[in-house]
Amino acid sequence: MVTNWFYLDQGRWLFRFTNEATDMAQQAAFHCNHFMEDDEDEMIDDVPRSCFNCMNRRWLIEGFECRGMSVIS
């Protein structure tokens, strides 16, 4: 269930954790049907399947927004 890792705020799916929570980003990506690997130079996690390495994430100051999930909201 996506709500384990994200919450909906004004139409945007926001990551519940900080930009330091690599384990949570990896778990979320493992369960995501919208994961798309980003360009290699944009990847920051050593584990390829991570929200931190997803083409659908947009960085925010303290986390990120998932634009891939916007199609299901």
Side-chain angles (χ1 to χ4, degrees), residues 31-64:
H31 291 92
C32 182
N33 294 328
H34 303 284
F35 178 82
M36 294 175 57
E37 193 172 287
D38 208 344
D39 294 327
E40 187 174 335
D41 59 328
E42 298 289 328
M43 298 172 112
I44 64 164
D45 194 338
D46 293 336
V47 174
R49 185 149 182 137
S50 170
C51 290
F52 292 165
N53 296 338
C54 184
M55 188 177 292
N56 289 316
R57 60 106 175 87
R58 295 297 175 263
W59 291 112
L60 304 171
I61 292 171
E62 294 184 20
F64 66 90

Side-chain angles (χ1 to χ4, degrees), residues 1-8 13 16 69:
M1 175 173 280
V2 296
T3 55
N4 291 339
W5 301 282
F6 295 89
Y7 64 96
L8 190 59
W13 285 100
R16 290 187 176 278
M69 290 189 346

